[in-house]
């Protein structure tokens, strides 16, 4: 029996219930159906599940989803509304009528609807079964993520090429007589992504002092002889799966401090990748890198290495498993990043990030992009 059916039985519930749009990664994972409007999904042990959807979406839902499809009319919603005018309470009554008197819901279930359901059934909260299920990717999911990563690398390559072709004037990078900006680099990368059916938000193209702040997105003119961090993490619109990668470059001459940080970073990434195996805790891989940095004279926590070593990637850019202090045992099928970084105000920051899948042999890296600091 599948893990979700097991969770339903262990909780004493009759069914697992979700109410969300497909922007909720769990909902998209379970139903394979995409819509911006929230809808009901319920699953009883041993079944594929059922979605309750408006009549206008029945044809598309029947094509996209492995779940059974039921209209709101078939679920009795119009009749319920004749007596219960409040939409939340009417939805709750409809759910209870289909799913049963004892239901299990995910942690992100809408509070107002949960309270309305309390009038008709007993509601218990799951500990995150679907989130754990999503952590172990199928062959189809891995294929999709490899595809997105390939597009990501081409896009990032276009951004790097733009920087490489620029010329320095009084410390500022110029392209075709105008200052080259972070926005222009993002536009070139995003344009390619869009042409390939992918989109990206919060892309990082930070420069100089901004690179000492890990998630500073960056804005304005880029400068010569200073580190430029490019972090690109697009999603493929059709599949909903993400890729993720980071490179650090310098146009001109890198300072000795940045060169040393970068070489140390490359070694740390190689060390981490060598340690990634099934059953090895993510916390152990993280700590090995912390210890390695300490041996080289670099701090962790508040300065230097200030974030986790990596994270799971899938229908969300950050999901299980964690490769950090709280990281549990890795498993074959986990798609994770390995992204050490070093950040020092006044000096700048450097980060390298690869993505790949944990296999029985170790870490099968998707990323094949070069690690070239000085352009």
């Amino acid at each position: 029996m599948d893990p979700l059916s097991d969770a339903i039985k262990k909780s004493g519930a009759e069914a697992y219930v979700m109410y969300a749009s497909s922007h909720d990664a769990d909902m998209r994972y379970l139903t394979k159906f995409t819509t911006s409007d929230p809808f009901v999904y319920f699953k009883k042990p041993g079944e594929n599940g059922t979605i309750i959807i408006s009549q206008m979406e029945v044809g598309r839902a029947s094509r996209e989803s492995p779940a059974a499809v039921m209209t709101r009319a078939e679920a009795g919603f119009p009749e319920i509304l004749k007596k219960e005018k409040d939409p939340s309470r009417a939805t709750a009554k409809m759910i209870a009528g289909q799913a049963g008197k004892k239901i299990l819901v995910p942690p992100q279930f809408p509070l107002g609807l949960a309270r309305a359901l309390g009038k008709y059934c007993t509601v218990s909260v799951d500990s995150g079964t679907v989130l754990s299920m999503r952590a172990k990717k199928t062959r189809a999911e891995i294929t999709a993520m490899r595809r997105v990563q390939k597009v990501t690398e081409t896009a990032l390559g276009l951004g790097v090429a733009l920087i490489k072709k620029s010329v320095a004037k009084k410390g500022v990078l110029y392209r075709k007589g105008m200052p080259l900006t972070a926005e222009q680099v993002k536009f070139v990368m995003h344009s390619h992504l869009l042409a390939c059916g992918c989109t990206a938000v919060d892309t990082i193209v930070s420069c100089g002092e901004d690179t000492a702040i890990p998630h500073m997105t960056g804005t304005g003119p880029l400068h010569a002889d200073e580190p430029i961090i490019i972090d690109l993490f697009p999603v493929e619109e059709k599949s909903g799966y993400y890729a993720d990668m980071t490179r650090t470059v310098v146009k001109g001459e890198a300072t000795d401090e940045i060169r040393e940080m970068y070489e140390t970073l490359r070694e740390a990434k190689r060390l981490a990748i060598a340690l990634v195996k099934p059953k090895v805790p993510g916390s152990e891989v993280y700590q090995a890198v912390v210890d390695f940095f300490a041996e080289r004279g670099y701090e962790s926590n508040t300065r230097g290495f200030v974030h986790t070593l990596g994270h799971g990637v899938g229908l969300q850019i950050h999901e299980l498993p964690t490769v950090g202090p709280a990281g549990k045992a890795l498993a074959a099928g986990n798609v994770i990043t390995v992204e050490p970084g070093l950040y020092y105000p006044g000096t700048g920051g450097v980060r390298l990030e690869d993505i790949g899948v944990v296999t029985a042999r170790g870490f099968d890296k998707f990323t094949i992009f070069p690690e070239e600091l000085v352009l």
Side-chain angles (χ1 to χ4, degrees), residues 29-40:
Y29 178 80
L30 291 170
T31 68
K32 308 297 187 292
F33 178 59
T34 58
T35 178
S36 297
D37 296 319
F39 62 100
V40 174

Side-chain angles (χ1 to χ4, degrees), residues 46-120:
E47 297 181 357
N48 285 334
T50 301
I51 60 178
I52 303 176
I53 203 77
S54 66
Q55 181 64 46
M56 68 180 293
E57 294 284 23
V58 168
R60 192 167 63 86
S62 298
R63 289 186 179 187
E64 292 183 9
S65 181
V69 178
M70 178 185 293
T71 66
R72 290 173 185 162
E74 290 170 334
F77 192 64
E79 292 300 315
I80 293 170
L81 277 174
K82 290 178 181 178
K83 295 182 179 180
E84 179 53 78
K85 302 302 181 183
D86 181 86
S88 288
R89 288 198 290 269
T91 300
K93 189 173 183 179
M94 178 189 70
I95 290 171
Q98 297 298 323
K101 299 300 182 182
K102 294 182 179 180
I103 66 171
L104 182 67
V105 302
Q108 70 271 26
F109 195 84
L111 178 59
L113 183 56
R115 286 177 171 169
L117 275 164
K119 180 180 178 181
Y120 306 104

Side-chain angles (χ1 to χ4, degrees), residues 278-320:
K279 299 183 180 180
V280 174
S283 58
E284 186 176 305
V285 183
Y286 164 80
Q287 189 59 48
V289 170
V290 170
D291 294 342
F292 173 78
F293 282 145
E295 291 172 4
R296 297 300 182 91
Y298 294 104
E299 306 145 282
S300 295
N301 296 320
T302 59
R303 284 167 55 90
F305 184 37
V306 299
H307 51 69
T308 63
L309 180 62
H311 54 86
V313 182
L315 288 170
Q316 291 177 297
I317 189 57
H318 295 108
E319 58 181 51
L320 292 179

Side-chain angles (χ1 to χ4, degrees), residues 170-252:
K170 297 181 179 180
V172 176
L173 297 181
Y174 277 74
R175 176 72 176 148
K176 294 183 178 180
M178 299 292 290
L180 177 62
T181 65
E183 289 82 0
Q184 289 172 331
V185 175
K186 293 176 190 179
F187 178 81
V188 166
M189 296 191 296
H190 288 181
S191 296
H192 179 76
L193 292 171
L194 285 169
C196 296
C198 300
T199 58
V201 297
D202 299 326
T203 296
I204 294 170
V205 181
S206 63
C207 181
E209 183 66 23
D210 284 351
T211 61
I213 304 172
H215 278 176
M216 181 67 75
T217 56
T219 185
L222 302 176
H223 294 84
D225 309 322
E226 295 184 2
I228 301 170
I229 291 179
I230 306 176
D231 190 345
L232 188 59
F233 38 99
V235 61
E236 185 180 53
E237 292 183 334
K238 183 177 181 180
S239 70
Y241 283 89
Y242 282 83
D244 196 4
M245 69 175 295
T246 305
R247 288 296 184 263
T248 303
V249 296
V250 174
K251 172 64 177 180

Side-chain angles (χ1 to χ4, degrees), residues 122-177:
T122 302
V123 180
S124 56
V125 181
D126 183 52
S127 60
T129 300
V130 180
L131 190 63
S132 297
M133 290 167 61
R134 285 171 38 211
K136 189 173 183 180
K137 305 299 188 288
T138 64
R139 183 176 297 180
E141 289 175 297
I142 292 167
T143 297
M145 296 179 74
R146 286 185 186 276
R147 182 173 62 243
V148 184
Q149 177 60 23
K150 187 175 181 180
V151 174
T152 304
E153 294 195 18
T154 303
L156 197 141
L158 293 172
V160 170
L162 200 61
I163 297 169
K164 193 170 187 175
K165 292 175 183 177
S166 66
V167 295
K169 295 180 182 179
K170 297 181 179 180
V172 176
L173 297 181
Y174 277 74
R175 176 72 176 148
K176 294 183 178 180

